Amino acid sequence: MPKSVAEVRAELTAPGQLFEMDTVEVQGRPVRVWKHSPATLRDVLELSSFHGDKILVVYEDERLTFTEHHRAACGFARLLTERYGITKGDRVAIAMRNFPEWMVAFWGAAVAGAIVVPLNAWWTGPELSYGITDSGSRILVVDEERAERLRPYSDLGCDAVLVVRAAHPLQAPEESFESALASMGEVTTPPEVTLEPDDDATIFYTSGTTGFPKGALGTHRNICQNVMSLAFSFTFAGERRKELTGDASDASAVDDALSGAGDQMATMLSVPLFHVTGCHAVMLSSVAFGNKLVIMHKWDPDRALELIERERIVTLSGVPSMIWQLLESPNFATTDISSVRSIGYGGAPAPPELVRRIEEMFPGRTPTNGWGMTETSSAASANSGIDYFRKPDSVGPMLPICDCRVVDEDGHDVAPGEPGELLVAGPNVVKGYWNKPEATSETFVDGWVHTGDIAKVDEEGFVFIVDRAKDMVIRGGENVYCAEVEGVLFEHPAVTDCAVFGRPHDVLGEEVVAVVLLRPGADATVEELQQHCRDHLASFKVPVAVWFWDTELPRNAAGKIVKRDLRDEALARS
């Protein structure tokens, strides 16, 4: 009889195994951690240097080896400490698109003991100015486009503004990043700065769609635990496939990757580095495991297909809408995708229909979904491979180092299988919000982060995200979880994107409405989509109105639909 999920997890995490766990004290509380995880980002960078002349970064026609990246990061770290006097705990902000220099600045600042502040490159000038001043950043590293947005703001309080890839004359106090770095000469070691696992490392601003964002203060431990979490997820998926099908190919591929045997794996970076998915999951794993990281200038599904074929991409990652666009591209059928073995996504709900499409169009590949947030430093749960096919509407069980609870409005645990707010604890949960004690005390309680997500957990420990707590329609006293209705709409063959929300109603309080984007060349009527929903949902969940959109639905940098903007525009049209 095949081993259960719990039995496989127990074997992988047993004493003496690679994924053995330990218990340490963090902020006065006992916390379960990966025993063999790197302790700090400096440890990860030093390990990366052993990959030598392997290619770490591919950007357009540029290539950067692990040795070159290590030397550049060390040089930038010394530039910060020796020229600008950066000391442990000072903030260094980064605001640019996904250039290779983003990585150099991140790793250099981190090993110098600074707190790295990645800012959303999509932000406007006022928003960028807020992030810089709120964090109190002393050094700002920007590309030319972000520098231009910030020039009207002279009170940022930075000691230096270093501009990457400047093609035009700089304005005081701006300096050339490349010239400043070159002035340090050949550097092979970082400055002597003592780092501890629970030292502050990053401030990632949450991608809230209203009001000022909050800066989530993460530690070296928060980030570095991801190294082992990612390796565990791949190993677990391979062992589960071997257990249930007898096919050991996935497990062998993971063993080769972790040991450095076999061909170098290539990963495509199609999401922003200024979010934890791009930074902690994709970039961190590439630096730690010796993978080749292929950076896209900007997301374009046809360009992505070209790079998959040219660079022999093994792992694809992004948000679900990106995977949809790849599958819908007219060039998909003529592209050599034989190198692809793993397709991962997160950051937004993934409809079960996407799993079926991946299975149909990427036969034999391993899809991976997961759940996480800025406050959990990327993933806290993962669902991949054969378990994802078994339960495509789940984000998987919590990682072994994480715990979860599901509670009602009064904070009491609900019965198994019942929906409630998801609370998560673990070594990846950040300290709190930068300079916001009230928001910190509301969200982080006794080691648990209140996620704001409505979830339920089944008998195997698999988590099902029902909806966001504030993304729910209450119709006549009945709760309608928008993600459930959206999942049904996605199953209609004509629908490529959709959003469900509430519209005010004099009697019911709210009623359910939807915005739908059809696939190119597809056709559907409002009545057809409503009947499709009736076939799968209770009548009170069926949208009373459906508006067809002729452009892509608005999304923020994390890939989530900006429902407030969409709802306002849709209601204005009605």
Side-chain angles (χ1 to χ4, degrees), residues 179-192:
S179 296
L181 187 59
S183 70
M184 300 305 296
E186 189 74 12
V187 177
T188 58
T189 59
E192 291 298 326

Side-chain angles (χ1 to χ4, degrees), residues 10-186:
E11 287 186 357
L12 291 175
T13 58
Q17 299 300 308
L18 176 62
F19 300 108
E20 180 182 359
M21 294 181 289
D22 197 2
T23 300
V24 301
E25 186 174 294
V26 178
Q27 292 184 291
R29 299 184 185 89
V31 175
R32 216 164 45 251
V33 299
W34 297 118
K35 186 174 183 178
H36 304 299
S37 169
T40 69
L41 289 169
R42 180 173 181 139
D43 295 326
V44 178
L45 183 66
E46 290 308 301
L47 286 171
S48 76
S49 66
F50 291 103
H51 297 296
D53 291 334
K54 284 185 178 179
I55 298 297
L56 170 58
V57 177
V58 174
Y59 175 75
E60 298 298 307
D61 294 325
E62 302 172 24
R63 292 177 185 267
L64 187 73
T65 68
F66 279 86
T67 295
E68 290 167 338
H69 173 263
H70 180 267
R71 288 176 178 170
C74 290
F76 185 64
R78 288 191 175 274
L79 177 73
L80 292 174
T81 57
E82 295 173 14
R83 178 179 299 181
Y84 300 115
I86 293 297
T87 60
K88 193 173 179 179
D90 287 337
R91 275 77 65 202
V92 174
I94 306 172
M96 71 175 88
R97 67 164 61 247
N98 285 0
F99 285 131
E101 290 86 351
W102 197 106
M103 295 173 56
V104 170
F106 176 90
W107 289 98
V111 300
I115 301 174
V116 191
V117 186
L119 298 175
N120 190 320
W122 293 2
W123 278 355
T124 62
E127 290 169 320
L128 289 169
S129 173
Y130 169 80
I132 295 164
T133 55
D134 179 69
S135 63
S137 293
R138 286 187 55 194
I139 305 295
L140 173 63
V141 185
V142 292
D143 58 16
E144 198 167 35
E145 185 176 351
R146 260 46 62 173
E148 180 68 28
R149 291 181 199 172
L150 284 165
R151 280 172 184 156
Y153 305 92
S154 57
D155 56 347
L156 297 177
C158 297
D159 296 344
V161 177
L162 302 174
V163 184
V164 168
R165 300 183 181 232
H168 301 90
L170 300 179
Q171 299 181 16
E174 298 166 356
E175 304 174 50
S176 163
F177 176 89
E178 292 81 4
S179 296
L181 187 59
S183 70
M184 300 305 296
E186 189 74 12

Side-chain angles (χ1 to χ4, degrees), residues 206-469:
T206 57
S207 55
T209 55
T210 60
F212 288 115
K214 301 184 292 290
L217 179 61
T219 67
H220 285 263
R221 189 193 307 278
N222 292 156
I223 302 167
C224 291
Q225 287 285 304
N226 274 285
V227 172
M228 299 305 293
S229 292
L230 292 164
F232 173 84
S233 296
F234 283 114
T235 303
F236 175 77
E239 292 297 323
R240 285 286 291 160
R241 183 182 184 91
K242 181 172 67 174
E243 193 66 36
L244 296 178
T245 69
D247 182 356
S249 59
D250 279 7
S252 298
V254 170
D255 289 341
D256 287 347
L258 295 178
S259 66
D263 295 333
Q264 184 184 24
M265 293 182 63
T267 301
M268 179 177 290
L269 177 67
S270 54
V271 294
L273 284 166
F274 54 74
H275 282 313
V276 292
T277 299
C279 183
H280 297 356
V282 183
M283 182 187 74
L284 183 72
S285 62
S286 295
V287 173
F289 300 143
N291 297 345
K292 178 174 67 175
L293 185 64
V294 180
I295 299 178
M296 296 192 67
H297 178 72
K298 64 178 181 178
W299 171 250
D300 176 84
D302 294 324
R303 176 59 173 162
L305 289 169
E306 291 176 12
L307 290 171
I308 289 170
E309 183 171 290
R310 188 186 87 179
E311 300 295 337
R312 307 301 296 159
I313 298 296
V314 175
T315 303
L316 291 174
S317 61
V319 295
S321 60
M322 292 177 173
I323 307 302
W324 275 116
Q325 290 172 20
L326 276 183
L327 299 178
E328 294 292 325
S329 170
N331 295 321
F332 182 87
T334 57
T335 300
D336 180 1
I337 58 169
S338 59
S339 61
V340 177
R341 289 210 305 263
S342 176
I343 303 165
Y345 42 84
E353 173 67 9
L354 181 56
V355 185
R356 187 192 66 77
R357 292 290 302 279
I358 290 173
E359 188 175 18
E360 172 190 328
M361 302 179 76
F362 279 94
R365 273 61 163 196
T366 302
T368 300
N369 190 13
W371 177 91
M373 57 195 304
T374 304
E375 291 84 347
T376 63
S377 311
S378 191
S381 76
N383 193 13
S384 59
I386 204 159
D387 284 316
Y388 196 5
F389 289 125
R390 284 199 308 132
K391 302 184 181 187
D393 49 350
S394 171
V395 293
M398 284 284 138
L399 292 164
I401 56 171
C402 295
D403 294 310
C404 75
R405 296 171 56 202
V406 180
V407 302
D408 61 20
E409 292 181 356
D410 297 320
H412 300 131
D413 292 338
V414 302
E418 291 297 313
E421 185 184 6
L422 179 68
L423 276 57
V424 174
N428 51 336
V429 174
V430 302
K431 283 185 174 180
Y433 297 121
W434 178 260
N435 284 339
K436 289 183 170 54
E438 290 185 8
T440 296
S441 62
E442 290 174 2
T443 303
F444 302 89
V445 182
D446 297 328
W448 297 89
V449 57
H450 287 248
T451 70
D453 279 351
I454 302 299
K456 56 185 180 181
V457 181
D458 71 7
E459 68 284 352
E460 283 190 290
F462 280 69
V463 178
F464 297 77
I465 302 297
V466 182
D467 213 329
R468 287 288 299 172

